[in-house]
Amino acid sequence: MAEINPYLSNLSKKYLFPLIEERLHDLLLKEPNADVIRLGVGDIALPLCQSIVEGIKQAADEMGTNPHGYGPCNGFSILRERIAKLEYTSFGISSDEIFISDGINADVCAARELFARNQKIGIIDPAYPLYLDLTRSIDNSEITLIPLLEENGFLPIPPATGLNLVYLCSPHNPTGTAMTRENLSLWVNWALKHQAILFFDAAYQAFITDNDIPKTIYEIEGAKKVAIEFRSFSKSAGFTGLRLGYCIVPFELQASGFPLNPLWQKRQDIKTNGVSYISQMAGIAALSEKGLQETKEQVALYKEEGFRIKAALQAAGFTCYGGVNAPYIWVKIEGLSSWDVFDLFLYKHHILSIPGVGFGKFGEGFIRLSSFVTKDTVDKFILRIPQIKESLCELI
Ligand code: PLP
């Protein structure tokens, strides 16, 4: 008899995002004409940039005449070399340390496979739910939650004792804050001391405009010895539907004296046949001069909407964080649970948010709003703020 994975089947709750979709569906069943303002899941709202669309069309035309079959499992060298040149050469990282994938989710799961079962794992809280659910779905690893607290500016503080693997994310989903150079250095030094590996999720690095915030963990001395960095085209270039990402596994990185770059290569050889030609060509187009310009403008538009959401809420007296180097605004609402606030926003005001506690227990008391929206959506949201304020005042 086949036995199922008990860790997966025992995961108690549903994954966060389907839960949110369920409640939205429930509202739309009751009120099919509700004009819902979606500041929730954090998916893109703007169309692909023109240069990317052209790249896709060109790749599709090529496939129609001269088809490309299986490509290299790590991605085309032209794409890896372009990424290296734009982002990593100045930190001593070459294209052979870059592995192309269909996005961060796949890479984060892949990274876990490199290490033994039942590790001591640190996970920031609140966090993108993948880290915790993935960890719990595999084995009995001992999990240490690393709280991101308002009083620490939502920066993670390394624990006094060692751990084997730690998930970090900056700029951070959901708080919208970003790790400073000093904070990231603390972690790199801690990892060097404890021979721990850092999984550094940089999905939102394109939103960093502050010079004090490192865009890659490899800006920090020693990081190549302790960190795998994950990057994605999802939020920087609107590829959530196309799928393209990459991770950096430096040659210097080792665990138990074993180099991880060749181990990752071995895993790739066995488990992947690479990423679609069309997605990779779209990625190359996104990294062309024109593509970089266009995607930068698009990110700036999202950021502008984030500033407007945050400014309008602050003007109405809400305490808000994030929204500067990240596309998320973390709104503090005391006196109600974050699910109650979510329900109030959704069922009464037709605004889709995400309850902070959905990202972990230390997210209680907050909701997350996404700035992956258009100007019209934010205009409508701003008009609803006085009513939201009124209903909160009645309840609290
Ligand atoms: N990491 C974080 C922190 C995210 O917020 C998301 C998506 O929202 C992802 C990873 C997923 O990235 P990808 O689309 O590349 O799988």
Side-chain angles (χ1 to χ4, degrees), residues 40-87:
V41 173
D43 202 351
I44 52 154
L46 297 170
L48 285 172
C49 298
Q50 203 44 44
S51 49
I52 300 171
V53 174
E54 279 158 21
I56 293 171
K57 283 186 186 160
Q58 201 181 322
D61 284 345
E62 267 178 52
M63 295 289 270
T65 50
N66 180 21
H68 292 267
Y70 292 121
C73 65
N74 297 338
F76 290 104
S77 57
I78 174 175
L79 176 57
R80 290 186 290 108
E81 277 159 18
R82 183 76 183 140
I83 294 168
K85 182 167 180 230
L86 287 169
E87 305 283 343

mmCIF file of all heavy atoms in Angstrom, residues 40-87:
data_model
loop_
_atom_site.group_PDB
_atom_site.id
_atom_site.type_symbol
_atom_site.label_atom_id
_atom_site.label_comp_id
_atom_site.label_asym_id
_atom_site.label_seq_id
_atom_site.Cartn_x
_atom_site.Cartn_y
_atom_site.Cartn_z
ATOM 1 N N GLY A 40 -5.017 42.886 -2.366
ATOM 2 C CA GLY A 40 -4.724 41.680 -1.613
ATOM 3 C C GLY A 40 -3.507 40.908 -2.060
ATOM 4 O O GLY A 40 -2.384 41.184 -1.643
ATOM 5 N N VAL A 41 -3.715 39.951 -2.937
ATOM 6 C CA VAL A 41 -2.749 38.877 -3.144
ATOM 7 C C VAL A 41 -1.365 39.350 -3.618
ATOM 8 O O VAL A 41 -0.364 38.689 -3.386
ATOM 9 C CB VAL A 41 -3.353 37.813 -4.100
ATOM 10 C CG1 VAL A 41 -2.330 36.770 -4.488
ATOM 11 C CG2 VAL A 41 -4.529 37.151 -3.412
ATOM 12 N N GLY A 42 -1.282 40.493 -4.245
ATOM 13 C CA GLY A 42 0.045 40.981 -4.632
ATOM 14 C C GLY A 42 0.463 40.512 -6.004
ATOM 15 O O GLY A 42 1.657 40.428 -6.303
ATOM 16 N N ASP A 43 -0.543 40.201 -6.830
ATOM 17 C CA ASP A 43 -0.212 39.865 -8.223
ATOM 18 C C ASP A 43 -0.133 41.161 -9.025
ATOM 19 O O ASP A 43 -0.677 42.185 -8.612
ATOM 20 C CB ASP A 43 -1.287 38.931 -8.803
ATOM 21 C CG ASP A 43 -0.763 38.131 -9.983
ATOM 22 O OD1 ASP A 43 0.352 38.417 -10.464
ATOM 23 O OD2 ASP A 43 -1.472 37.218 -10.439
ATOM 24 N N ILE A 44 0.517 41.070 -10.179
ATOM 25 C CA ILE A 44 0.735 42.281 -10.983
ATOM 26 C C ILE A 44 -0.578 42.823 -11.548
ATOM 27 O O ILE A 44 -1.543 42.087 -11.707
ATOM 28 C CB ILE A 44 1.704 41.981 -12.132
ATOM 29 C CG1 ILE A 44 1.222 40.745 -12.921
ATOM 30 C CG2 ILE A 44 3.094 41.753 -11.595
ATOM 31 C CD1 ILE A 44 1.678 40.707 -14.323
ATOM 32 N N ALA A 45 -0.581 44.124 -11.871
ATOM 33 C CA ALA A 45 -1.799 44.749 -12.402
ATOM 34 C C ALA A 45 -1.567 45.395 -13.772
ATOM 35 O O ALA A 45 -2.524 45.683 -14.480
ATOM 36 C CB ALA A 45 -2.290 45.809 -11.425
ATOM 37 N N LEU A 46 -0.310 45.625 -14.117
ATOM 38 C CA LEU A 46 -0.025 46.329 -15.383
ATOM 39 C C LEU A 46 0.370 45.322 -16.459
ATOM 40 O O LEU A 46 0.919 44.258 -16.148
ATOM 41 C CB LEU A 46 1.118 47.335 -15.179
ATOM 42 C CG LEU A 46 0.808 48.470 -14.189
ATOM 43 C CD1 LEU A 46 2.075 49.266 -13.869
ATOM 44 C CD2 LEU A 46 -0.270 49.396 -14.759
ATOM 45 N N PRO A 47 0.103 45.652 -17.733
ATOM 46 C CA PRO A 47 0.482 44.722 -18.806
ATOM 47 C C PRO A 47 1.996 44.612 -18.943
ATOM 48 O O PRO A 47 2.733 45.481 -18.475
ATOM 49 C CB PRO A 47 -0.120 45.355 -20.068
ATOM 50 C CG PRO A 47 -0.482 46.740 -19.716
ATOM 51 C CD PRO A 47 -0.564 46.860 -18.228
ATOM 52 N N LEU A 48 2.430 43.549 -19.592
ATOM 53 C CA LEU A 48 3.872 43.383 -19.841
ATOM 54 C C LEU A 48 4.384 44.565 -20.653
ATOM 55 O O LEU A 48 3.673 45.082 -21.527
ATOM 56 C CB LEU A 48 4.119 42.103 -20.647
ATOM 57 C CG LEU A 48 4.001 40.780 -19.905
ATOM 58 C CD1 LEU A 48 4.087 39.616 -20.888
ATOM 59 C CD2 LEU A 48 5.092 40.649 -18.839
ATOM 60 N N CYS A 49 5.623 44.951 -20.399
ATOM 61 C CA CYS A 49 6.228 46.055 -21.150
ATOM 62 C C CYS A 49 6.386 45.645 -22.622
ATOM 63 O O CYS A 49 6.547 44.462 -22.937
ATOM 64 C CB CYS A 49 7.598 46.391 -20.590
ATOM 65 S SG CYS A 49 7.518 46.947 -18.902
ATOM 66 N N GLN A 50 6.402 46.671 -23.468
ATOM 67 C CA GLN A 50 6.440 46.434 -24.917
ATOM 68 C C GLN A 50 7.648 45.591 -25.342
ATOM 69 O O GLN A 50 7.523 44.684 -26.159
ATOM 70 C CB GLN A 50 6.455 47.800 -25.637
ATOM 71 C CG GLN A 50 5.956 47.759 -27.064
ATOM 72 C CD GLN A 50 4.679 46.917 -27.236
ATOM 73 O OE1 GLN A 50 3.752 47.019 -26.434
ATOM 74 N NE2 GLN A 50 4.659 46.056 -28.241
ATOM 75 N N SER A 51 8.817 45.892 -24.806
ATOM 76 C CA SER A 51 10.023 45.153 -25.235
ATOM 77 C C SER A 51 9.888 43.663 -24.888
ATOM 78 O O SER A 51 10.365 42.799 -25.643
ATOM 79 C CB SER A 51 11.278 45.737 -24.585
ATOM 80 O OG SER A 51 11.055 45.868 -23.214
ATOM 81 N N ILE A 52 9.221 43.370 -23.791
ATOM 82 C CA ILE A 52 9.047 41.961 -23.396
ATOM 83 C C ILE A 52 8.063 41.281 -24.346
ATOM 84 O O ILE A 52 8.304 40.156 -24.812
ATOM 85 C CB ILE A 52 8.574 41.866 -21.927
ATOM 86 C CG1 ILE A 52 9.607 42.507 -21.000
ATOM 87 C CG2 ILE A 52 8.315 40.418 -21.535
ATOM 88 C CD1 ILE A 52 9.179 42.667 -19.561
ATOM 89 N N VAL A 53 6.981 41.992 -24.659
ATOM 90 C CA VAL A 53 5.994 41.429 -25.597
ATOM 91 C C VAL A 53 6.691 41.139 -26.939
ATOM 92 O O VAL A 53 6.502 40.064 -27.532
ATOM 93 C CB VAL A 53 4.805 42.407 -25.785
ATOM 94 C CG1 VAL A 53 3.859 41.912 -26.861
ATOM 95 C CG2 VAL A 53 4.071 42.597 -24.470
ATOM 96 N N GLU A 54 7.527 42.080 -27.377
ATOM 97 C CA GLU A 54 8.236 41.853 -28.649
ATOM 98 C C GLU A 54 9.177 40.654 -28.545
ATOM 99 O O GLU A 54 9.277 39.845 -29.474
ATOM 100 C CB GLU A 54 9.019 43.105 -29.048
ATOM 101 C CG GLU A 54 8.133 44.139 -29.717
ATOM 102 C CD GLU A 54 8.710 45.552 -29.647
ATOM 103 O OE1 GLU A 54 9.929 45.693 -29.444
ATOM 104 O OE2 GLU A 54 7.916 46.511 -29.762
ATOM 105 N N GLY A 55 9.847 40.526 -27.414
ATOM 106 C CA GLY A 55 10.744 39.379 -27.200
ATOM 107 C C GLY A 55 9.985 38.059 -27.281
ATOM 108 O O GLY A 55 10.448 37.078 -27.867
ATOM 109 N N ILE A 56 8.790 38.040 -26.700
ATOM 110 C CA ILE A 56 7.965 36.816 -26.711
ATOM 111 C C ILE A 56 7.535 36.499 -28.140
ATOM 112 O O ILE A 56 7.619 35.348 -28.593
ATOM 113 C CB ILE A 56 6.722 36.991 -25.807
ATOM 114 C CG1 ILE A 56 7.143 37.099 -24.349
ATOM 115 C CG2 ILE A 56 5.738 35.849 -25.993
ATOM 116 C CD1 ILE A 56 6.026 37.492 -23.391
ATOM 117 N N LYS A 57 7.094 37.546 -28.858
ATOM 118 C CA LYS A 57 6.618 37.317 -30.235
ATOM 119 C C LYS A 57 7.750 36.771 -31.101
ATOM 120 O O LYS A 57 7.567 35.830 -31.865
ATOM 121 C CB LYS A 57 6.118 38.631 -30.836
ATOM 122 C CG LYS A 57 4.743 39.035 -30.344
ATOM 123 C CD LYS A 57 4.325 40.260 -31.126
ATOM 124 C CE LYS A 57 3.027 40.837 -30.601
ATOM 125 N NZ LYS A 57 2.853 42.227 -31.001
ATOM 126 N N GLN A 58 8.909 37.375 -30.924
ATOM 127 C CA GLN A 58 10.065 36.932 -31.730
ATOM 128 C C GLN A 58 10.424 35.481 -31.406
ATOM 129 O O GLN A 58 10.679 34.675 -32.298
ATOM 130 C CB GLN A 58 11.237 37.849 -31.415
ATOM 131 C CG GLN A 58 12.283 37.845 -32.502
ATOM 132 C CD GLN A 58 13.448 38.758 -32.106
ATOM 133 O OE1 GLN A 58 13.260 39.826 -31.520
ATOM 134 N NE2 GLN A 58 14.651 38.309 -32.418
ATOM 135 N N ALA A 59 10.388 35.159 -30.120
ATOM 136 C CA ALA A 59 10.710 33.783 -29.713
ATOM 137 C C ALA A 59 9.666 32.818 -30.251
ATOM 138 O O ALA A 59 9.998 31.713 -30.716
ATOM 139 C CB ALA A 59 10.785 33.699 -28.187
ATOM 140 N N ALA A 60 8.391 33.235 -30.230
ATOM 141 C CA ALA A 60 7.318 32.365 -30.741
ATOM 142 C C ALA A 60 7.482 32.158 -32.246
ATOM 143 O O ALA A 60 7.329 31.034 -32.747
ATOM 144 C CB ALA A 60 5.957 32.975 -30.419
ATOM 145 N N ASP A 61 7.826 33.223 -32.965
ATOM 146 C CA ASP A 61 8.042 33.096 -34.419
ATOM 147 C C ASP A 61 9.181 32.114 -34.712
ATOM 148 O O ASP A 61 9.079 31.257 -35.571
ATOM 149 C CB ASP A 61 8.384 34.457 -35.042
ATOM 150 C CG ASP A 61 7.137 35.326 -35.181
ATOM 151 O OD1 ASP A 61 6.023 34.775 -35.065
ATOM 152 O OD2 ASP A 61 7.286 36.554 -35.365
ATOM 153 N N GLU A 62 10.257 32.261 -33.925
ATOM 154 C CA GLU A 62 11.405 31.350 -34.114
ATOM 155 C C GLU A 62 10.985 29.903 -33.895
ATOM 156 O O GLU A 62 11.358 29.017 -34.663
ATOM 157 C CB GLU A 62 12.481 31.655 -33.076
ATOM 158 C CG GLU A 62 13.535 32.617 -33.504
ATOM 159 C CD GLU A 62 14.487 32.838 -32.341
ATOM 160 O OE1 GLU A 62 14.997 31.859 -31.769
ATOM 161 O OE2 GLU A 62 14.690 34.010 -31.985
ATOM 162 N N MET A 63 10.200 29.697 -32.827
ATOM 163 C CA MET A 63 9.761 28.328 -32.515
ATOM 164 C C MET A 63 8.896 27.762 -33.631
ATOM 165 O O MET A 63 8.835 26.553 -33.836
ATOM 166 C CB MET A 63 8.969 28.282 -31.193
ATOM 167 C CG MET A 63 9.765 28.642 -29.970
ATOM 168 S SD MET A 63 10.972 27.397 -29.522
ATOM 169 C CE MET A 63 10.036 26.359 -28.421
ATOM 170 N N GLY A 64 8.220 28.671 -34.363
ATOM 171 C CA GLY A 64 7.360 28.235 -35.462
ATOM 172 C C GLY A 64 8.145 27.833 -36.700
ATOM 173 O O GLY A 64 7.604 27.194 -37.607
ATOM 174 N N THR A 65 9.412 28.232 -36.771
ATOM 175 C CA THR A 65 10.197 27.894 -37.964
ATOM 176 C C THR A 65 11.368 26.972 -37.612
ATOM 177 O O THR A 65 11.641 25.998 -38.290
ATOM 178 C CB THR A 65 10.763 29.175 -38.622
ATOM 179 O OG1 THR A 65 11.399 29.946 -37.629
ATOM 180 C CG2 THR A 65 9.656 29.971 -39.307
ATOM 181 N N ASN A 66 12.014 27.309 -36.505
ATOM 182 C CA ASN A 66 13.241 26.603 -36.148
ATOM 183 C C ASN A 66 13.158 26.245 -34.662
ATOM 184 O O ASN A 66 13.732 26.931 -33.830
ATOM 185 C CB ASN A 66 14.408 27.578 -36.424
ATOM 186 C CG ASN A 66 15.730 26.977 -36.087
ATOM 187 O OD1 ASN A 66 15.860 25.751 -36.025
ATOM 188 N ND2 ASN A 66 16.726 27.826 -35.834
ATOM 189 N N PRO A 67 12.369 25.202 -34.330
ATOM 190 C CA PRO A 67 12.034 24.992 -32.909
ATOM 191 C C PRO A 67 13.256 24.728 -32.021
ATOM 192 O O PRO A 67 14.213 24.097 -32.458
ATOM 193 C CB PRO A 67 11.134 23.761 -32.951
ATOM 194 C CG PRO A 67 11.432 23.084 -34.231
ATOM 195 C CD PRO A 67 11.850 24.148 -35.198
ATOM 196 N N HIS A 68 13.174 25.255 -30.836
ATOM 197 C CA HIS A 68 14.202 24.950 -29.830
ATOM 198 C C HIS A 68 13.653 23.827 -28.966
ATOM 199 O O HIS A 68 12.532 23.923 -28.468
ATOM 200 C CB HIS A 68 14.460 26.170 -28.950
ATOM 201 C CG HIS A 68 15.120 27.285 -29.698
ATOM 202 N ND1 HIS A 68 16.475 27.446 -29.737
ATOM 203 C CD2 HIS A 68 14.592 28.263 -30.470
ATOM 204 C CE1 HIS A 68 16.766 28.500 -30.490
ATOM 205 N NE2 HIS A 68 15.643 29.012 -30.945
ATOM 206 N N GLY A 69 14.425 22.794 -28.779
ATOM 207 C CA GLY A 69 13.988 21.686 -27.930
ATOM 208 C C GLY A 69 14.465 21.918 -26.512
ATOM 209 O O GLY A 69 14.482 23.047 -26.030
ATOM 210 N N TYR A 70 14.864 20.841 -25.864
ATOM 211 C CA TYR A 70 15.371 20.984 -24.500
ATOM 212 C C TYR A 70 16.558 21.949 -24.496
ATOM 213 O O TYR A 70 17.446 21.850 -25.339
ATOM 214 C CB TYR A 70 15.876 19.646 -23.963
ATOM 215 C CG TYR A 70 14.781 18.623 -23.742
ATOM 216 C CD1 TYR A 70 14.815 17.400 -24.406
ATOM 217 C CD2 TYR A 70 13.747 18.867 -22.858
ATOM 218 C CE1 TYR A 70 13.835 16.448 -24.197
ATOM 219 C CE2 TYR A 70 12.758 17.917 -22.644
ATOM 220 C CZ TYR A 70 12.802 16.715 -23.309
ATOM 221 O OH TYR A 70 11.829 15.778 -23.096
ATOM 222 N N GLY A 71 16.552 22.844 -23.542
ATOM 223 C CA GLY A 71 17.702 23.751 -23.404
ATOM 224 C C GLY A 71 18.563 23.286 -22.250
ATOM 225 O O GLY A 71 18.245 22.290 -21.599
ATOM 226 N N PRO A 72 19.645 24.018 -21.948
ATOM 227 C CA PRO A 72 20.470 23.634 -20.796
ATOM 228 C C PRO A 72 19.649 23.741 -19.500
ATOM 229 O O PRO A 72 18.864 24.683 -19.346
ATOM 230 C CB PRO A 72 21.607 24.659 -20.803
ATOM 231 C CG PRO A 72 21.315 25.633 -21.892
ATOM 232 C CD PRO A 72 20.106 25.216 -22.646
ATOM 233 N N CYS A 73 19.825 22.781 -18.589
ATOM 234 C CA CYS A 73 18.954 22.773 -17.400
ATOM 235 C C CYS A 73 19.165 24.009 -16.534
ATOM 236 O O CYS A 73 18.269 24.403 -15.787
ATOM 237 C CB CYS A 73 19.129 21.483 -16.602
ATOM 238 S SG CYS A 73 20.743 21.276 -15.893
ATOM 239 N N ASN A 74 20.333 24.643 -16.620
ATOM 240 C CA ASN A 74 20.564 25.847 -15.800
ATOM 241 C C ASN A 74 20.153 27.126 -16.490
ATOM 242 O O ASN A 74 20.362 28.209 -15.953
ATOM 243 C CB ASN A 74 22.046 25.972 -15.464
ATOM 244 C CG ASN A 74 22.519 24.821 -14.643
ATOM 245 O OD1 ASN A 74 21.713 24.161 -13.999
ATOM 246 N ND2 ASN A 74 23.804 24.558 -14.687
ATOM 247 N N GLY A 75 19.635 27.027 -17.706
ATOM 248 C CA GLY A 75 19.256 28.232 -18.451
ATOM 249 C C GLY A 75 20.316 28.574 -19.477
ATOM 250 O O GLY A 75 21.465 28.119 -19.395
ATOM 251 N N PHE A 76 19.909 29.386 -20.444
ATOM 252 C CA PHE A 76 20.836 29.762 -21.519
ATOM 253 C C PHE A 76 21.942 30.655 -20.977
ATOM 254 O O PHE A 76 21.683 31.550 -20.166
ATOM 255 C CB PHE A 76 20.082 30.464 -22.652
ATOM 256 C CG PHE A 76 19.192 29.524 -23.408
ATOM 257 C CD1 PHE A 76 17.825 29.533 -23.218
ATOM 258 C CD2 PHE A 76 19.749 28.590 -24.279
ATOM 259 C CE1 PHE A 76 17.011 28.629 -23.893
ATOM 260 C CE2 PHE A 76 18.938 27.683 -24.959
ATOM 261 C CZ PHE A 76 17.566 27.706 -24.757
ATOM 262 N N SER A 77 23.172 30.409 -21.487
ATOM 263 C CA SER A 77 24.307 31.172 -20.950
ATOM 264 C C SER A 77 24.153 32.664 -21.254
ATOM 265 O O SER A 77 24.556 33.502 -20.457
ATOM 266 C CB SER A 77 25.625 30.633 -21.484
ATOM 267 O OG SER A 77 25.607 30.675 -22.878
ATOM 268 N N ILE A 78 23.517 33.000 -22.365
ATOM 269 C CA ILE A 78 23.357 34.429 -22.698
ATOM 270 C C ILE A 78 22.528 35.143 -21.611
ATOM 271 O O ILE A 78 22.835 36.274 -21.223
ATOM 272 C CB ILE A 78 22.754 34.591 -24.120
ATOM 273 C CG1 ILE A 78 22.434 36.037 -24.430
ATOM 274 C CG2 ILE A 78 21.570 33.757 -24.377
ATOM 275 C CD1 ILE A 78 21.959 36.268 -25.867
ATOM 276 N N LEU A 79 21.527 34.454 -21.081
ATOM 277 C CA LEU A 79 20.703 35.048 -20.010
ATOM 278 C C LEU A 79 21.508 35.107 -18.706
ATOM 279 O O LEU A 79 21.550 36.139 -18.022
ATOM 280 C CB LEU A 79 19.417 34.224 -19.823
ATOM 281 C CG LEU A 79 18.494 34.648 -18.687
ATOM 282 C CD1 LEU A 79 18.060 36.108 -18.827
ATOM 283 C CD2 LEU A 79 17.249 33.751 -18.622
ATOM 284 N N ARG A 80 22.203 34.005 -18.405
ATOM 285 C CA ARG A 80 22.980 33.991 -17.156
ATOM 286 C C ARG A 80 24.093 35.039 -17.187
ATOM 287 O O ARG A 80 24.365 35.711 -16.187
ATOM 288 C CB ARG A 80 23.543 32.585 -16.897
ATOM 289 C CG ARG A 80 22.427 31.590 -16.531
ATOM 290 C CD ARG A 80 22.939 30.235 -16.124
ATOM 291 N NE ARG A 80 23.515 29.494 -17.228
ATOM 292 C CZ ARG A 80 24.806 29.255 -17.404
ATOM 293 N NH1 ARG A 80 25.680 29.689 -16.518
ATOM 294 N NH2 ARG A 80 25.230 28.573 -18.433
ATOM 295 N N GLU A 81 24.698 35.189 -18.380
ATOM 296 C CA GLU A 81 25.792 36.169 -18.480
ATOM 297 C C GLU A 81 25.271 37.598 -18.352
ATOM 298 O O GLU A 81 25.912 38.455 -17.744
ATOM 299 C CB GLU A 81 26.545 35.981 -19.807
ATOM 300 C CG GLU A 81 27.581 34.873 -19.686
ATOM 301 C CD GLU A 81 28.006 34.276 -21.017
ATOM 302 O OE1 GLU A 81 27.773 34.938 -22.063
ATOM 303 O OE2 GLU A 81 28.543 33.151 -21.010
ATOM 304 N N ARG A 82 24.091 37.825 -18.909
ATOM 305 C CA ARG A 82 23.512 39.175 -18.810
ATOM 306 C C ARG A 82 23.186 39.496 -17.336
ATOM 307 O O ARG A 82 23.455 40.592 -16.855
ATOM 308 C CB ARG A 82 22.244 39.236 -19.676
ATOM 309 C CG ARG A 82 21.577 40.581 -19.734
ATOM 310 C CD ARG A 82 22.315 41.566 -20.627
ATOM 311 N NE ARG A 82 21.673 42.885 -20.610
ATOM 312 C CZ ARG A 82 22.314 44.026 -20.596
ATOM 313 N NH1 ARG A 82 23.639 44.066 -20.609
ATOM 314 N NH2 ARG A 82 21.665 45.168 -20.594
ATOM 315 N N ILE A 83 22.626 38.516 -16.642
ATOM 316 C CA ILE A 83 22.298 38.737 -15.221
ATOM 317 C C ILE A 83 23.592 39.001 -14.441
ATOM 318 O O ILE A 83 23.674 39.932 -13.633
ATOM 319 C CB ILE A 83 21.544 37.520 -14.627
ATOM 320 C CG1 ILE A 83 20.173 37.370 -15.287
ATOM 321 C CG2 ILE A 83 21.404 37.643 -13.113
ATOM 322 C CD1 ILE A 83 19.472 36.045 -14.999
ATOM 323 N N ALA A 84 24.608 38.170 -14.727
ATOM 324 C CA ALA A 84 25.883 38.333 -13.999
ATOM 325 C C ALA A 84 26.425 39.735 -14.233
ATOM 326 O O ALA A 84 26.812 40.435 -13.276
ATOM 327 C CB ALA A 84 26.880 37.279 -14.466
ATOM 328 N N LYS A 85 26.422 40.164 -15.494
ATOM 329 C CA LYS A 85 27.017 41.469 -15.814
ATOM 330 C C LYS A 85 26.244 42.593 -15.126
ATOM 331 O O LYS A 85 26.845 43.508 -14.555
ATOM 332 C CB LYS A 85 26.978 41.647 -17.334
ATOM 333 C CG LYS A 85 27.600 42.917 -17.804
ATOM 334 C CD LYS A 85 27.838 42.914 -19.300
ATOM 335 C CE LYS A 85 28.473 44.238 -19.667
ATOM 336 N NZ LYS A 85 27.822 44.893 -20.752
ATOM 337 N N LEU A 86 24.916 42.503 -15.173
ATOM 338 C CA LEU A 86 24.111 43.603 -14.621
ATOM 339 C C LEU A 86 24.134 43.640 -13.098
ATOM 340 O O LEU A 86 24.106 44.707 -12.492
ATOM 341 C CB LEU A 86 22.648 43.464 -15.070
ATOM 342 C CG LEU A 86 22.341 43.795 -16.522
ATOM 343 C CD1 LEU A 86 20.926 43.363 -16.868
ATOM 344 C CD2 LEU A 86 22.507 45.289 -16.775
ATOM 345 N N GLU A 87 24.146 42.468 -12.475
ATOM 346 C CA GLU A 87 23.884 42.439 -11.031
ATOM 347 C C GLU A 87 25.035 41.925 -10.155
ATOM 348 O O GLU A 87 25.084 42.257 -8.983
ATOM 349 C CB GLU A 87 22.664 41.534 -10.741
ATOM 350 C CG GLU A 87 21.411 41.894 -11.502
ATOM 351 C CD GLU A 87 20.702 43.102 -10.910
ATOM 352 O OE1 GLU A 87 20.992 43.455 -9.758
ATOM 353 O OE2 GLU A 87 19.863 43.675 -11.619
#
